[in-house]
């Protein structure tokens, strides 16, 4: 029987865990059974009954074949990705330019496996998604950061300077950014792509240049004036755009992500993918969801409106005489605060009342995901109750 050490770990010291993993903990947001869960940026609305029926029908159809391996190239699903992106973003890509995996987390890990590694550097811009350094750690890639501007927009000049200085193999950008919700201007992206097409890569052969990865996990929640990076794929062979069905598509439990890029980048990912990494059941469920795209995305516009209304409401609040700030967001979540001297206490008070949000991002800030109308009403009611309690306790 394992005995927890002083850090609470039950991993025996006699196990040959990698030295760099000693003391590490599994990544993940708190997974708690509370009435209002607004911490992991899910679509709060369940799949339409038509979608549920379609999933059951497709899975039943392939169930008799589960003694055989699935299509390891998931050709039909890649065609569905292509059809969806042509409709959603007006960009038609060949199946050779698309690749799926078990959530965009696996897509990102495959990118780090293919383009990172010992002696390689990946460059990001903080604050950003807290899993990126873990992908780097797991692939023995050096992770470096350049700071964003005070309003959380990308500091393109500083990013370009860092690219020229450290010569990374990967530049990882997020639009909308997590946890801030900030979008990435296409002009800034084009400048960075142009630089990366000229800069060498530390630890690589002569003539090798960095890959630019744009993580668009939340892009469907964007306003009409916020662009996607997809149209640039045709003219930039060093660009990869990651997408997911987990967020706007209301499919988090199915674990389906995908990436759009040049065929060369896709073929690099095919080298590092595990055999038959996408199960037949996963592929069938995803195809059923794409058959009912309208139903799956039916609540996106409403969640966008909820985000706008919630941002306006949060900006009417104050904490210790200071107005609460809300970072401009093109996603389904809001980073708010900027003045919370004890954000953990606010989080704990909300949680004790059945409302779960997220302690993430820079000190002084909290993040809330958009829920149903009833969940958001409860969030507003509870935050209004909690803020004076925390103020008086200090």
């Amino acid at each position: 029987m394992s005995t927890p050490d002083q850090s609470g770990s039950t991993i025996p010291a006699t196990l040959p865990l990698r030295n760099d993993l000693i003391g590490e903990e599994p990544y993940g947001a708190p997974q708690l059974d509370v009435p209002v869960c607004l911490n992991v940026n899910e679509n709060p609305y369940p799949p339409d009954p038509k979608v549920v029926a379609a999933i059951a029908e497709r899975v039943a159809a392939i169930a008799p074949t589960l003694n055989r391996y699935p299509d390891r190239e998931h050709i039909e699903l890649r065609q569905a990705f292509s059809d969806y992106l042509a409709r959603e973003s007006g960009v038609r890509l060949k199946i050779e330019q698309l690749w799926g995996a078990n959530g965009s987390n696996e897509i990102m890990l495959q990118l780090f496996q293919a383009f990172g590694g010992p002696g390689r550097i990946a460059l990001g811009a903080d604050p950003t998604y807290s899993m990126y350094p873990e992908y780097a750690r797991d692939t023995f890639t050096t992770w470096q950061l350049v700071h964003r501007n005070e309003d959380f927009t990308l500091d393109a000049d500083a990013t370009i300077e860092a690219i020229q200085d450290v010569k990374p193999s990967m530049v990882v950008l997020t639009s909308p950014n997590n946890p801030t919700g900030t979008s990435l201007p296409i002009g800034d992206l084009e400048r960075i792509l142009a630089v990366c097409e000229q800069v060498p890569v530390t630890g690589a052969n002569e003539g090798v240049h960095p890959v630019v990865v744009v993580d668009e996990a939340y892009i469907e929640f964007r306003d009409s004036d916020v662009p996607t990076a997809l149209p640039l794929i045709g003219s930039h062979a060093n660009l990869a755009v990651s997408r997911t069905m987990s967020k706007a598509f209301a499919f988090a439990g199915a674990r389906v992500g995908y990436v759009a890029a040049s065929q060369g980048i896709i073929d690099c990912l095919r080298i590092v993918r595990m055999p038959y990494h996408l199960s037949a059941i996963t592929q069938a469920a995803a195809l059923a969801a794409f058959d009912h795209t309208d139903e799956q995305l039916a609540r996106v516009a409403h969640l966008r409106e909820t985000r706008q209304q919630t941002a306006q409401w949060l900006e009417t609040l104050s904490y210790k005489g200071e107005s609460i700030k809300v970072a401009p967001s093109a996603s389904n979540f809001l980073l708010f605060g900027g003045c919370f001297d004890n954000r953990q206490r606010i989080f704990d008070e909300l949680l004790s009342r059945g409302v779960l949000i997220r302690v993430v991002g820079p000190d002084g800030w909290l993040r809330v995901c958009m829920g149903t109308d009833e969940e958001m009403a409860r969030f507003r009611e509870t935050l209004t109750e909690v803020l004076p309690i925390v103020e008086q306790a200090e």
Side-chain angles (χ1 to χ4, degrees):
M1 179 177 178
S2 299
T3 302
D5 60 19
Q6 292 180 348
S7 66
S9 174
T10 57
I11 300 174
T14 54
L15 291 178
L17 183 66
R18 275 171 30 193
N19 290 343
D20 62 310
L21 296 180
I22 294 174
E24 295 285 341
E25 295 182 0
Y27 172 86
Q31 189 168 283
L32 304 173
D33 184 14
V34 297
V36 181
C37 290
L38 304 174
N39 69 325
V40 288
N41 304 339
E42 300 159 323
N43 187 325
Y45 297 102
D48 185 277
K50 292 180 182 178
V51 182
V52 175
I55 292 172
E57 182 178 346
R58 276 201 177 253
V59 171
I62 59 96
T65 71
L66 291 180
N67 60 309
R68 302 294 186 185
Y69 286 113
D71 174 13
R72 64 174 171 242
E73 298 297 321
H74 52 285
I75 298 298
E76 188 177 1
L77 181 54
R78 290 159 79 182
Q79 184 61 55
F81 295 149
S82 176
D83 294 341
Y84 170 69
L85 292 179
R87 170 182 171 176
E88 191 271 336
S89 298
V91 178
R92 170 62 72 177
L93 298 169
K94 301 176 182 178
I95 62 170
E96 292 83 5
Q97 296 175 289
L98 293 155
W99 183 252
N102 294 284
S104 58
N105 292 112
E106 187 177 28
I107 288 293
M108 294 302 300
L109 181 61
Q110 289 179 348
L111 285 163
F112 273 79
Q113 288 174 317
F115 302 117
R120 298 288 182 88
I121 299 169
L123 180 70
D126 73 327
T128 194
Y129 185 34
S130 53
M131 267 300 295
Y132 295 152
E134 300 213 9
Y135 303 138
R137 178 201 67 191
D138 293 346
T139 57
F140 300 98
T141 306
T142 298
W143 176 247
Q144 292 196 17
L145 289 167
V146 59
H147 297 303
R148 290 174 173 268
N149 296 313
E150 287 189 8
D151 63 356
F152 302 129
T153 55
L154 184 73
D155 188 335
D157 290 338
T159 302
I160 289 171
E161 183 178 348
I163 292 169
Q164 294 170 329
D165 181 34
V166 306
K167 301 175 178 58
S169 60
M170 299 173 62
V171 178
V172 183
L173 305 172
T174 314
S175 183
N177 185 45
N178 181 8
T180 66
T182 317
S183 58
L184 174 64
I186 286 296
D188 288 347
L189 176 58
E190 289 179 316
R191 289 178 60 202
I192 290 167
L193 284 165
V195 169
C196 287
E197 288 166 349
Q198 301 298 321
V199 169
V201 169
T202 297
N205 294 331
E206 185 177 353
V208 173
H209 305 292
V211 167
V212 179
V213 179
V214 179
D215 186 344
E216 292 190 342
Y218 300 94
I219 197 69
E220 284 96 344
F221 293 107
R222 70 192 185 278
D223 296 319
S224 59
D225 60 340
V226 175
T228 170
L230 289 173
L232 300 181
I233 289 175
S235 54
H236 295 280
N238 62 332
L239 172 63
V241 182
S242 175
R243 291 282 191 109
T244 185
M245 297 179 73
S246 294
K247 306 302 181 181
F249 224 83
F251 223 49
R255 308 308 301 127
V256 182
Y258 55 105
V259 63
S262 65
Q263 183 174 349
I265 288 178
I266 299 302
D267 284 346
C268 290
L269 301 188
R270 292 175 64 241
I271 292 173
V272 300
R273 64 106 172 98
M274 297 295 288
Y276 311 107
H277 69 296
L278 275 178
S279 77
I281 293 175
T282 298
Q283 294 182 46
L287 288 167
F290 277 125
D291 286 342
H292 294 271
T293 295
D294 289 340
E295 291 90 338
Q296 288 297 91
L297 297 176
R299 301 284 192 162
V300 169
H302 180 65
L303 288 168
R304 194 180 296 121
E305 293 173 1
T306 300
R307 179 195 73 214
Q308 295 166 346
Q309 293 167 359
T310 303
Q312 292 170 358
W313 176 78
L314 285 167
E315 288 173 340
T316 68
L317 303 180
S318 62
Y319 177 80
K320 293 189 174 181
E322 187 173 347
S323 296
I324 287 177
K325 299 176 184 177
V326 181
S329 176
S331 64
N332 68 329
F333 55 81
L334 292 167
L335 190 72
F336 68 99
C339 56
F340 296 143
D341 53 1
N342 193 345
R343 63 176 178 174
Q344 186 64 47
R345 176 69 187 277
I346 296 172
F347 170 87
D348 291 340
E349 291 288 348
L350 288 169
L351 181 58
S352 70
R353 292 162 175 79
V355 177
L356 178 61
I357 61 171
R358 189 78 183 269
V359 177
V360 69
D363 288 342
W365 296 81
L366 292 165
R367 193 190 70 192
V368 61
C369 170
M370 299 303 102
T372 64
D373 293 346
E374 295 77 14
E375 289 171 335
M376 297 312 295
R378 180 60 181 156
F379 165 71
R380 293 190 298 271
E381 174 187 339
T382 307
L383 185 63
T384 302
E385 176 185 346
V386 160
L387 288 180
I389 293 173
V390 178
E391 283 181 320
Q392 295 168 11
E394 294 297 318

